[in-house]
Amino acid sequence: MKKYYLASASPRRKELLGSLGIEFEIMPAVSEEVITDTDPAKVVESLSRQKSEEIFHKILTNESADIIVIGADTVVSYKQKILGKPKGTDSARSMITMLSGNVHQVFTGVTVMYRLNGQQGSVTFHSKTDVEVYEMTEKEIESYISTSEPYDKAGGYGIQGLFGRYVKGISGDYNNVVGLPISELYHVLSNLGLL
């Protein structure tokens, strides 16, 4: 019997993982995130590994079943600079102004740690999607940052929310921008015999 754990409290990741048709427990990682790099791809891989390791080691000793822990982390990057969650209105305005009329990248790192038939292993990968944003007017920017949407999301937006109307196009996996490259994860789990 395999037991799956998602090391994230994100409702969007929960929904995406649910589309694989597996039952899983949500156990968000709580440790302080340690960033030792500036390369967005390496950052998300490292953060996803930290989340996955924390939960894996927490449940390893208390669980005799086969366990699979999935950790993920997403960042928005413009010109290789990582944009975190806006700290307030000025920060949100500055981020959205930067993204307006430009192409930026969204990186999601995923780490799968598992114990299967007594054998332990892990796989870490990342997915990158280019997102092109229409030129926004000052009025549109002000109107958008006056909503609650930008403040709990990396880069100040969620593609599946109000900001979607300003997205001109994407190159890559849409679900990666939402927070979990589910098709790539499915193939990784499938190839490892974890489904």
Short mmCIF file of all heavy atoms in Angstrom, two decimals, residues 126-195:
data_model
loop_
_atom_site.label_atom_id
_atom_site.label_comp_id
_atom_site.label_asym_id
_atom_site.label_seq_id
_atom_site.Cartn_x
_atom_site.Cartn_y
_atom_site.Cartn_z
N HIS A 126 13.09 20.49 -12.62
CA HIS A 126 12.37 21.77 -12.69
C HIS A 126 11.76 21.93 -14.08
O HIS A 126 12.20 21.30 -15.03
CB HIS A 126 13.29 22.96 -12.35
CG HIS A 126 14.22 23.33 -13.46
ND1 HIS A 126 15.47 22.78 -13.59
CD2 HIS A 126 14.08 24.17 -14.51
CE1 HIS A 126 16.06 23.27 -14.67
NE2 HIS A 126 15.24 24.12 -15.24
N SER A 127 10.76 22.78 -14.12
CA SER A 127 10.08 23.08 -15.37
C SER A 127 10.06 24.60 -15.52
O SER A 127 9.93 25.32 -14.53
CB SER A 127 8.66 22.52 -15.31
OG SER A 127 7.97 22.77 -16.50
N LYS A 128 10.22 25.07 -16.76
CA LYS A 128 10.25 26.53 -17.01
C LYS A 128 9.20 26.88 -18.07
O LYS A 128 9.09 26.21 -19.08
CB LYS A 128 11.64 26.94 -17.50
CG LYS A 128 11.74 28.43 -17.82
CD LYS A 128 13.11 28.78 -18.40
CE LYS A 128 13.05 28.68 -19.90
NZ LYS A 128 13.86 29.61 -20.65
N THR A 129 8.45 27.93 -17.81
CA THR A 129 7.46 28.42 -18.76
C THR A 129 7.69 29.92 -18.99
O THR A 129 7.86 30.66 -18.03
CB THR A 129 6.02 28.21 -18.22
OG1 THR A 129 5.85 26.82 -17.90
CG2 THR A 129 4.96 28.62 -19.23
N ASP A 130 7.69 30.32 -20.27
CA ASP A 130 7.78 31.75 -20.60
C ASP A 130 6.37 32.32 -20.62
O ASP A 130 5.47 31.72 -21.21
CB ASP A 130 8.41 31.95 -21.99
CG ASP A 130 9.91 31.64 -21.98
OD1 ASP A 130 10.57 31.91 -20.97
OD2 ASP A 130 10.41 31.12 -23.00
N VAL A 131 6.19 33.48 -19.99
CA VAL A 131 4.87 34.12 -19.94
C VAL A 131 5.00 35.53 -20.52
O VAL A 131 5.82 36.32 -20.06
CB VAL A 131 4.34 34.20 -18.49
CG1 VAL A 131 2.96 34.88 -18.46
CG2 VAL A 131 4.27 32.82 -17.85
N GLU A 132 4.19 35.81 -21.55
CA GLU A 132 4.21 37.15 -22.16
C GLU A 132 2.99 37.93 -21.68
O GLU A 132 1.86 37.44 -21.71
CB GLU A 132 4.19 37.03 -23.69
CG GLU A 132 4.32 38.38 -24.39
CD GLU A 132 4.36 38.28 -25.91
OE1 GLU A 132 4.24 37.16 -26.45
OE2 GLU A 132 4.49 39.35 -26.55
N VAL A 133 3.24 39.15 -21.21
CA VAL A 133 2.17 39.99 -20.65
C VAL A 133 1.92 41.18 -21.58
O VAL A 133 2.86 41.80 -22.07
CB VAL A 133 2.57 40.49 -19.23
CG1 VAL A 133 1.50 41.39 -18.63
CG2 VAL A 133 2.84 39.30 -18.30
N TYR A 134 0.64 41.46 -21.82
CA TYR A 134 0.28 42.65 -22.61
C TYR A 134 0.78 43.91 -21.90
O TYR A 134 0.91 43.93 -20.68
CB TYR A 134 -1.24 42.77 -22.74
CG TYR A 134 -1.85 41.90 -23.80
CD1 TYR A 134 -2.58 40.76 -23.45
CD2 TYR A 134 -1.74 42.23 -25.15
CE1 TYR A 134 -3.16 39.96 -24.43
CE2 TYR A 134 -2.32 41.43 -26.13
CZ TYR A 134 -3.02 40.29 -25.76
OH TYR A 134 -3.58 39.50 -26.73
N GLU A 135 1.00 44.94 -22.67
CA GLU A 135 1.31 46.26 -22.10
C GLU A 135 0.07 46.69 -21.31
O GLU A 135 -1.03 46.69 -21.84
CB GLU A 135 1.58 47.24 -23.26
CG GLU A 135 2.15 48.56 -22.84
CD GLU A 135 3.65 48.51 -22.51
OE1 GLU A 135 4.44 48.06 -23.34
OE2 GLU A 135 3.97 48.96 -21.40
N MET A 136 0.26 47.03 -20.05
CA MET A 136 -0.87 47.44 -19.22
C MET A 136 -0.84 48.95 -19.01
O MET A 136 0.23 49.53 -18.89
CB MET A 136 -0.81 46.74 -17.85
CG MET A 136 -0.99 45.23 -17.92
SD MET A 136 -0.55 44.39 -16.36
CE MET A 136 -1.87 44.91 -15.26
N THR A 137 -2.02 49.55 -18.96
CA THR A 137 -2.08 51.00 -18.70
C THR A 137 -1.88 51.21 -17.20
O THR A 137 -2.04 50.28 -16.40
CB THR A 137 -3.45 51.59 -19.10
OG1 THR A 137 -4.46 50.99 -18.23
CG2 THR A 137 -3.80 51.31 -20.55
N GLU A 138 -1.58 52.44 -16.85
CA GLU A 138 -1.40 52.78 -15.43
C GLU A 138 -2.69 52.48 -14.66
O GLU A 138 -2.65 51.97 -13.54
CB GLU A 138 -1.06 54.27 -15.32
CG GLU A 138 -0.18 54.59 -14.13
CD GLU A 138 0.31 56.03 -14.16
OE1 GLU A 138 1.02 56.41 -15.12
OE2 GLU A 138 -0.05 56.76 -13.22
N LYS A 139 -3.81 52.78 -15.30
CA LYS A 139 -5.12 52.55 -14.67
C LYS A 139 -5.34 51.05 -14.41
O LYS A 139 -5.84 50.65 -13.36
CB LYS A 139 -6.22 53.10 -15.58
CG LYS A 139 -7.59 53.14 -14.94
CD LYS A 139 -8.62 53.77 -15.86
CE LYS A 139 -10.02 53.57 -15.29
NZ LYS A 139 -11.06 53.82 -16.27
N GLU A 140 -4.95 50.21 -15.39
CA GLU A 140 -5.11 48.76 -15.23
C GLU A 140 -4.22 48.25 -14.10
O GLU A 140 -4.64 47.41 -13.30
CB GLU A 140 -4.75 48.04 -16.54
CG GLU A 140 -5.81 48.18 -17.62
CD GLU A 140 -5.37 47.65 -18.98
OE1 GLU A 140 -4.15 47.70 -19.28
OE2 GLU A 140 -6.25 47.20 -19.73
N ILE A 141 -3.00 48.76 -14.03
CA ILE A 141 -2.07 48.34 -12.97
C ILE A 141 -2.64 48.73 -11.60
O ILE A 141 -2.70 47.90 -10.68
CB ILE A 141 -0.66 48.94 -13.18
CG1 ILE A 141 -0.02 48.32 -14.43
CG2 ILE A 141 0.22 48.70 -11.95
CD1 ILE A 141 1.28 48.97 -14.88
N GLU A 142 -3.10 49.97 -11.48
CA GLU A 142 -3.65 50.45 -10.19
C GLU A 142 -4.90 49.65 -9.80
O GLU A 142 -5.08 49.31 -8.63
CB GLU A 142 -3.98 51.95 -10.26
CG GLU A 142 -2.75 52.86 -10.33
CD GLU A 142 -1.74 52.62 -9.21
OE1 GLU A 142 -2.15 52.49 -8.03
OE2 GLU A 142 -0.53 52.56 -9.51
N SER A 143 -5.73 49.38 -10.79
CA SER A 143 -6.95 48.62 -10.53
C SER A 143 -6.60 47.21 -10.06
O SER A 143 -7.19 46.70 -9.10
CB SER A 143 -7.78 48.57 -11.83
OG SER A 143 -8.77 47.59 -11.72
N TYR A 144 -5.61 46.58 -10.69
CA TYR A 144 -5.22 45.22 -10.33
C TYR A 144 -4.61 45.17 -8.93
O TYR A 144 -4.96 44.31 -8.13
CB TYR A 144 -4.25 44.64 -11.37
CG TYR A 144 -3.78 43.26 -10.98
CD1 TYR A 144 -4.66 42.18 -10.97
CD2 TYR A 144 -2.47 43.05 -10.55
CE1 TYR A 144 -4.25 40.93 -10.57
CE2 TYR A 144 -2.05 41.80 -10.14
CZ TYR A 144 -2.95 40.75 -10.15
OH TYR A 144 -2.53 39.50 -9.73
N ILE A 145 -3.69 46.10 -8.62
CA ILE A 145 -3.03 46.03 -7.31
C ILE A 145 -3.94 46.47 -6.16
O ILE A 145 -3.60 46.28 -5.00
CB ILE A 145 -1.68 46.81 -7.28
CG1 ILE A 145 -1.90 48.32 -7.44
CG2 ILE A 145 -0.70 46.26 -8.30
CD1 ILE A 145 -0.66 49.15 -7.16
N SER A 146 -5.11 47.01 -6.49
CA SER A 146 -6.07 47.36 -5.44
C SER A 146 -6.90 46.15 -5.01
O SER A 146 -7.67 46.20 -4.06
CB SER A 146 -7.00 48.48 -5.91
OG SER A 146 -7.90 47.98 -6.87
N THR A 147 -6.74 45.01 -5.73
CA THR A 147 -7.42 43.76 -5.34
C THR A 147 -6.50 43.03 -4.36
O THR A 147 -5.36 43.41 -4.15
CB THR A 147 -7.69 42.86 -6.57
OG1 THR A 147 -6.43 42.33 -7.03
CG2 THR A 147 -8.39 43.62 -7.69
N SER A 148 -7.01 41.94 -3.80
CA SER A 148 -6.18 41.18 -2.84
C SER A 148 -5.29 40.17 -3.56
O SER A 148 -4.41 39.57 -2.95
CB SER A 148 -7.10 40.45 -1.86
OG SER A 148 -7.92 39.53 -2.58
N GLU A 149 -5.50 39.99 -4.86
CA GLU A 149 -4.81 38.91 -5.59
C GLU A 149 -3.29 38.94 -5.56
O GLU A 149 -2.65 37.90 -5.38
CB GLU A 149 -5.31 38.85 -7.05
CG GLU A 149 -4.73 37.67 -7.80
CD GLU A 149 -5.30 37.50 -9.19
OE1 GLU A 149 -6.50 37.16 -9.30
OE2 GLU A 149 -4.58 37.72 -10.16
N PRO A 150 -2.64 40.10 -5.77
CA PRO A 150 -1.18 40.07 -5.92
C PRO A 150 -0.38 39.69 -4.67
O PRO A 150 0.76 39.26 -4.78
CB PRO A 150 -0.82 41.52 -6.31
CG PRO A 150 -2.09 42.19 -6.63
CD PRO A 150 -3.18 41.46 -5.93
N TYR A 151 -0.99 39.83 -3.50
CA TYR A 151 -0.17 39.87 -2.27
C TYR A 151 0.25 38.53 -1.68
O TYR A 151 1.13 38.48 -0.84
CB TYR A 151 -0.87 40.76 -1.24
CG TYR A 151 -1.03 42.14 -1.82
CD1 TYR A 151 -2.23 42.54 -2.41
CD2 TYR A 151 0.06 43.01 -1.89
CE1 TYR A 151 -2.35 43.78 -3.02
CE2 TYR A 151 -0.05 44.26 -2.49
CZ TYR A 151 -1.27 44.64 -3.05
OH TYR A 151 -1.38 45.85 -3.67
N ASP A 152 -0.35 37.43 -2.13
CA ASP A 152 0.10 36.14 -1.59
C ASP A 152 0.70 35.26 -2.68
O ASP A 152 0.78 34.06 -2.55
CB ASP A 152 -1.07 35.42 -0.89
CG ASP A 152 -2.16 34.99 -1.87
OD1 ASP A 152 -2.25 35.59 -2.96
OD2 ASP A 152 -2.91 34.05 -1.56
N LYS A 153 1.11 35.91 -3.78
CA LYS A 153 1.63 35.13 -4.91
C LYS A 153 2.98 35.65 -5.39
O LYS A 153 3.18 36.86 -5.48
CB LYS A 153 0.63 35.16 -6.07
CG LYS A 153 -0.69 34.47 -5.72
CD LYS A 153 -1.71 34.61 -6.82
CE LYS A 153 -3.03 33.98 -6.42
NZ LYS A 153 -3.69 34.74 -5.36
N ALA A 154 3.87 34.72 -5.70
CA ALA A 154 5.18 35.09 -6.25
C ALA A 154 4.98 35.88 -7.53
O ALA A 154 4.15 35.51 -8.37
CB ALA A 154 5.99 33.81 -6.53
N GLY A 155 5.70 36.99 -7.66
CA GLY A 155 5.59 37.80 -8.86
C GLY A 155 4.37 38.70 -8.86
O GLY A 155 4.15 39.48 -9.78
N GLY A 156 3.53 38.56 -7.82
CA GLY A 156 2.38 39.44 -7.69
C GLY A 156 1.17 39.07 -8.53
O GLY A 156 0.27 39.88 -8.72
N TYR A 157 1.13 37.83 -9.04
CA TYR A 157 -0.07 37.46 -9.82
C TYR A 157 -0.29 35.96 -9.82
O TYR A 157 0.62 35.17 -9.56
CB TYR A 157 0.05 37.96 -11.27
CG TYR A 157 0.94 37.09 -12.15
CD1 TYR A 157 0.42 36.04 -12.89
CD2 TYR A 157 2.31 37.32 -12.23
CE1 TYR A 157 1.23 35.25 -13.68
CE2 TYR A 157 3.12 36.54 -13.02
CZ TYR A 157 2.57 35.49 -13.75
OH TYR A 157 3.38 34.69 -14.52
N GLY A 158 -1.52 35.59 -10.13
CA GLY A 158 -1.89 34.19 -10.38
C GLY A 158 -2.47 34.15 -11.77
O GLY A 158 -3.40 34.90 -12.08
N ILE A 159 -1.94 33.29 -12.63
CA ILE A 159 -2.40 33.25 -14.03
C ILE A 159 -3.85 32.81 -14.13
O ILE A 159 -4.57 33.18 -15.05
CB ILE A 159 -1.47 32.34 -14.89
CG1 ILE A 159 -1.72 32.59 -16.38
CG2 ILE A 159 -1.64 30.87 -14.51
CD1 ILE A 159 -0.66 31.97 -17.30
N GLN A 160 -4.31 32.04 -13.13
CA GLN A 160 -5.69 31.52 -13.16
C GLN A 160 -6.68 32.51 -12.55
O GLN A 160 -7.86 32.24 -12.50
CB GLN A 160 -5.75 30.15 -12.46
CG GLN A 160 -5.61 30.20 -10.95
CD GLN A 160 -4.18 30.43 -10.45
OE1 GLN A 160 -3.27 30.72 -11.21
NE2 GLN A 160 -3.99 30.32 -9.15
N GLY A 161 -6.17 33.67 -12.12
CA GLY A 161 -7.04 34.66 -11.49
C GLY A 161 -7.31 35.86 -12.37
O GLY A 161 -7.34 35.76 -13.60
N LEU A 162 -7.47 37.02 -11.73
CA LEU A 162 -7.79 38.26 -12.45
C LEU A 162 -6.70 38.65 -13.45
O LEU A 162 -6.97 39.26 -14.47
CB LEU A 162 -7.95 39.42 -11.44
CG LEU A 162 -9.05 39.26 -10.39
CD1 LEU A 162 -8.92 40.35 -9.33
CD2 LEU A 162 -10.42 39.31 -11.05
N PHE A 163 -5.46 38.30 -13.14
CA PHE A 163 -4.33 38.70 -13.99
C PHE A 163 -4.36 37.99 -15.35
O PHE A 163 -3.75 38.46 -16.31
CB PHE A 163 -3.00 38.41 -13.28
CG PHE A 163 -1.83 39.11 -13.91
CD1 PHE A 163 -1.60 40.46 -13.66
CD2 PHE A 163 -0.95 38.43 -14.74
CE1 PHE A 163 -0.51 41.12 -14.23
CE2 PHE A 163 0.14 39.07 -15.31
CZ PHE A 163 0.35 40.42 -15.06
N GLY A 164 -5.10 36.89 -15.43
CA GLY A 164 -5.18 36.12 -16.68
C GLY A 164 -5.55 36.96 -17.89
O GLY A 164 -5.09 36.69 -19.01
N ARG A 165 -6.31 38.01 -17.68
CA ARG A 165 -6.75 38.86 -18.81
C ARG A 165 -5.59 39.64 -19.43
O ARG A 165 -5.73 40.18 -20.52
CB ARG A 165 -7.86 39.82 -18.36
CG ARG A 165 -7.37 40.90 -17.40
CD ARG A 165 -8.48 41.76 -16.87
NE ARG A 165 -9.16 41.07 -15.78
CZ ARG A 165 -10.05 41.63 -14.98
NH1 ARG A 165 -10.38 42.89 -15.14
NH2 ARG A 165 -10.61 40.95 -14.03
N TYR A 166 -4.47 39.74 -18.72
CA TYR A 166 -3.32 40.49 -19.24
C TYR A 166 -2.24 39.59 -19.83
O TYR A 166 -1.22 40.07 -20.30
CB TYR A 166 -2.70 41.35 -18.12
CG TYR A 166 -3.71 42.25 -17.45
CD1 TYR A 166 -4.02 42.12 -16.10
CD2 TYR A 166 -4.37 43.26 -18.17
CE1 TYR A 166 -4.95 42.94 -15.49
CE2 TYR A 166 -5.31 44.08 -17.57
CZ TYR A 166 -5.58 43.92 -16.23
OH TYR A 166 -6.51 44.74 -15.63
N VAL A 167 -2.47 38.27 -19.78
CA VAL A 167 -1.47 37.34 -20.30
C VAL A 167 -1.69 37.14 -21.80
O VAL A 167 -2.73 36.65 -22.23
CB VAL A 167 -1.53 35.99 -19.55
CG1 VAL A 167 -0.58 34.98 -20.18
CG2 VAL A 167 -1.17 36.19 -18.08
N LYS A 168 -0.70 37.55 -22.57
CA LYS A 168 -0.80 37.48 -24.03
C LYS A 168 -0.58 36.06 -24.53
O LYS A 168 -1.20 35.62 -25.49
CB LYS A 168 0.25 38.42 -24.64
CG LYS A 168 0.08 38.66 -26.12
CD LYS A 168 1.05 39.75 -26.60
CE LYS A 168 0.74 40.14 -28.03
NZ LYS A 168 1.61 41.24 -28.48
N GLY A 169 0.33 35.36 -23.89
CA GLY A 169 0.59 33.98 -24.31
C GLY A 169 1.63 33.33 -23.43
O GLY A 169 2.34 34.01 -22.68
N ILE A 170 1.71 32.01 -23.52
CA ILE A 170 2.74 31.30 -22.77
C ILE A 170 3.43 30.30 -23.68
O ILE A 170 2.85 29.83 -24.66
CB ILE A 170 2.19 30.58 -21.51
CG1 ILE A 170 1.29 29.39 -21.90
CG2 ILE A 170 1.47 31.52 -20.57
CD1 ILE A 170 1.01 28.46 -20.73
N SER A 171 4.66 30.00 -23.35
CA SER A 171 5.41 28.97 -24.06
C SER A 171 5.89 28.00 -23.00
O SER A 171 6.72 28.35 -22.16
CB SER A 171 6.58 29.60 -24.79
OG SER A 171 7.39 28.59 -25.34
N GLY A 172 5.30 26.81 -23.00
CA GLY A 172 5.61 25.82 -21.96
C GLY A 172 4.34 25.34 -21.30
O GLY A 172 3.24 25.51 -21.83
N ASP A 173 4.47 24.74 -20.13
CA ASP A 173 3.36 24.11 -19.42
C ASP A 173 2.58 25.15 -18.60
O ASP A 173 3.14 25.78 -17.70
CB ASP A 173 3.95 23.02 -18.51
CG ASP A 173 2.89 22.23 -17.74
OD1 ASP A 173 1.71 22.60 -17.78
OD2 ASP A 173 3.27 21.24 -17.10
N TYR A 174 1.29 25.29 -18.90
CA TYR A 174 0.42 26.21 -18.17
C TYR A 174 0.37 25.84 -16.68
O TYR A 174 0.45 26.69 -15.81
CB TYR A 174 -1.00 26.18 -18.77
CG TYR A 174 -2.04 26.90 -17.94
CD1 TYR A 174 -2.18 28.28 -18.03
CD2 TYR A 174 -2.85 26.20 -17.05
CE1 TYR A 174 -3.13 28.96 -17.25
CE2 TYR A 174 -3.80 26.87 -16.27
CZ TYR A 174 -3.93 28.25 -16.38
OH TYR A 174 -4.86 28.90 -15.61
N ASN A 175 0.23 24.52 -16.41
CA ASN A 175 0.13 24.08 -15.01
C ASN A 175 1.37 24.40 -14.19
O ASN A 175 1.31 24.57 -12.98
CB ASN A 175 -0.16 22.57 -14.94
CG ASN A 175 -1.57 22.26 -15.40
OD1 ASN A 175 -2.50 23.01 -15.13
ND2 ASN A 175 -1.73 21.16 -16.11
N ASN A 176 2.51 24.50 -14.88
CA ASN A 176 3.74 24.90 -14.21
C ASN A 176 3.60 26.31 -13.63
O ASN A 176 4.08 26.59 -12.54
CB ASN A 176 4.90 24.86 -15.22
CG ASN A 176 6.22 25.23 -14.59
OD1 ASN A 176 6.62 24.66 -13.59
ND2 ASN A 176 6.88 26.20 -15.17
N VAL A 177 2.91 27.19 -14.37
CA VAL A 177 2.70 28.57 -13.91
C VAL A 177 1.74 28.58 -12.72
O VAL A 177 1.89 29.36 -11.79
CB VAL A 177 2.17 29.47 -15.05
CG1 VAL A 177 2.08 30.92 -14.61
CG2 VAL A 177 3.05 29.36 -16.30
N VAL A 178 0.79 27.67 -12.73
CA VAL A 178 -0.17 27.56 -11.62
C VAL A 178 0.54 27.03 -10.36
O VAL A 178 0.19 27.40 -9.24
CB VAL A 178 -1.37 26.66 -12.00
CG1 VAL A 178 -2.34 26.51 -10.84
CG2 VAL A 178 -2.09 27.22 -13.22
N GLY A 179 1.59 26.20 -10.55
CA GLY A 179 2.34 25.76 -9.38
C GLY A 179 2.81 24.32 -9.35
O GLY A 179 3.50 23.91 -8.43
N LEU A 180 2.43 23.52 -10.38
CA LEU A 180 2.89 22.12 -10.40
C LEU A 180 2.83 21.59 -11.84
O LEU A 180 1.75 21.48 -12.42
CB LEU A 180 2.00 21.26 -9.49
CG LEU A 180 2.51 19.87 -9.12
CD1 LEU A 180 3.82 19.94 -8.32
CD2 LEU A 180 1.47 19.10 -8.34
N PRO A 181 4.01 21.26 -12.43
CA PRO A 181 4.01 20.73 -13.80
C PRO A 181 3.53 19.27 -13.77
O PRO A 181 4.32 18.33 -13.76
CB PRO A 181 5.48 20.84 -14.23
CG PRO A 181 6.26 20.83 -12.95
CD PRO A 181 5.36 21.38 -11.87
N ILE A 182 2.22 19.12 -13.74
CA ILE A 182 1.61 17.83 -13.41
C ILE A 182 1.90 16.74 -14.44
O ILE A 182 2.08 15.57 -14.09
CB ILE A 182 0.08 17.99 -13.14
CG1 ILE A 182 -0.48 16.79 -12.37
CG2 ILE A 182 -0.71 18.26 -14.40
CD1 ILE A 182 0.04 16.66 -10.96
N SER A 183 1.99 17.09 -15.73
CA SER A 183 2.25 16.05 -16.73
C SER A 183 3.67 15.50 -16.59
O SER A 183 3.90 14.30 -16.66
CB SER A 183 2.01 16.58 -18.15
OG SER A 183 2.71 17.78 -18.35
N GLU A 184 4.64 16.39 -16.33
CA GLU A 184 6.02 15.93 -16.12
C GLU A 184 6.12 15.09 -14.84
O GLU A 184 6.77 14.06 -14.81
CB GLU A 184 6.98 17.13 -16.06
CG GLU A 184 8.42 16.73 -16.22
CD GLU A 184 9.39 17.90 -16.41
OE1 GLU A 184 8.94 19.05 -16.64
OE2 GLU A 184 10.59 17.65 -16.33
N LEU A 185 5.42 15.55 -13.79
CA LEU A 185 5.41 14.79 -12.53
C LEU A 185 4.80 13.41 -12.75
O LEU A 185 5.31 12.41 -12.24
CB LEU A 185 4.63 15.56 -11.46
CG LEU A 185 4.44 14.84 -10.11
CD1 LEU A 185 5.77 14.49 -9.46
CD2 LEU A 185 3.60 15.69 -9.16
N TYR A 186 3.71 13.34 -13.50
CA TYR A 186 3.06 12.06 -13.79
C TYR A 186 4.04 11.08 -14.44
O TYR A 186 4.15 9.92 -14.05
CB TYR A 186 1.84 12.28 -14.71
CG TYR A 186 1.33 10.99 -15.31
CD1 TYR A 186 0.57 10.09 -14.55
CD2 TYR A 186 1.65 10.63 -16.63
CE1 TYR A 186 0.14 8.89 -15.10
CE2 TYR A 186 1.22 9.44 -17.18
CZ TYR A 186 0.47 8.57 -16.40
OH TYR A 186 0.05 7.37 -16.94
N HIS A 187 4.80 11.58 -15.42
CA HIS A 187 5.75 10.71 -16.12
C HIS A 187 6.91 10.27 -15.23
O HIS A 187 7.35 9.14 -15.30
CB HIS A 187 6.25 11.39 -17.42
CG HIS A 187 5.21 11.35 -18.49
ND1 HIS A 187 4.34 12.39 -18.71
CD2 HIS A 187 4.87 10.38 -19.37
CE1 HIS A 187 3.50 12.06 -19.68
NE2 HIS A 187 3.81 10.85 -20.10
N VAL A 188 7.36 11.16 -14.36
CA VAL A 188 8.42 10.81 -13.40
C VAL A 188 7.92 9.72 -12.47
O VAL A 188 8.59 8.68 -12.28
CB VAL A 188 8.89 12.05 -12.60
CG1 VAL A 188 9.73 11.66 -11.39
CG2 VAL A 188 9.70 12.98 -13.51
N LEU A 189 6.74 9.90 -11.88
CA LEU A 189 6.16 8.90 -10.95
C LEU A 189 5.93 7.57 -11.67
O LEU A 189 6.22 6.50 -11.12
CB LEU A 189 4.84 9.41 -10.36
CG LEU A 189 4.92 10.61 -9.40
CD1 LEU A 189 3.52 11.12 -9.09
CD2 LEU A 189 5.65 10.24 -8.12
N SER A 190 5.43 7.65 -12.88
CA SER A 190 5.13 6.47 -13.68
C SER A 190 6.41 5.68 -13.99
O SER A 190 6.47 4.46 -13.80
CB SER A 190 4.43 6.91 -14.96
OG SER A 190 3.96 5.81 -15.67
N ASN A 191 7.45 6.40 -14.44
CA ASN A 191 8.71 5.74 -14.79
C ASN A 191 9.40 5.10 -13.59
O ASN A 191 10.15 4.14 -13.75
CB ASN A 191 9.67 6.74 -15.47
CG ASN A 191 9.16 7.17 -16.83
OD1 ASN A 191 8.37 6.48 -17.46
ND2 ASN A 191 9.59 8.34 -17.30
N LEU A 192 9.15 5.66 -12.39
CA LEU A 192 9.76 5.09 -11.18
C LEU A 192 8.91 3.98 -10.56
O LEU A 192 9.27 3.39 -9.55
CB LEU A 192 9.95 6.19 -10.12
CG LEU A 192 11.02 7.26 -10.43
CD1 LEU A 192 10.90 8.42 -9.45
CD2 LEU A 192 12.42 6.64 -10.33
N GLY A 193 7.75 3.71 -11.17
CA GLY A 193 6.86 2.69 -10.65
C GLY A 193 6.17 3.12 -9.37
O GLY A 193 5.84 2.31 -8.50
N LEU A 194 5.95 4.43 -9.24
CA LEU A 194 5.38 4.98 -8.00
C LEU A 194 3.88 5.25 -8.09
O LEU A 194 3.30 5.82 -7.18
CB LEU A 194 6.12 6.25 -7.59
CG LEU A 194 7.61 6.10 -7.27
CD1 LEU A 194 8.24 7.46 -6.98
CD2 LEU A 194 7.83 5.17 -6.10
N LEU A 195 3.26 4.88 -9.18
CA LEU A 195 1.81 5.12 -9.31
C LEU A 195 1.03 3.83 -9.11
O LEU A 195 1.55 2.76 -9.35
CB LEU A 195 1.47 5.74 -10.67
CG LEU A 195 1.83 7.22 -10.82
CD1 LEU A 195 1.56 7.68 -12.25
CD2 LEU A 195 1.06 8.08 -9.83
#
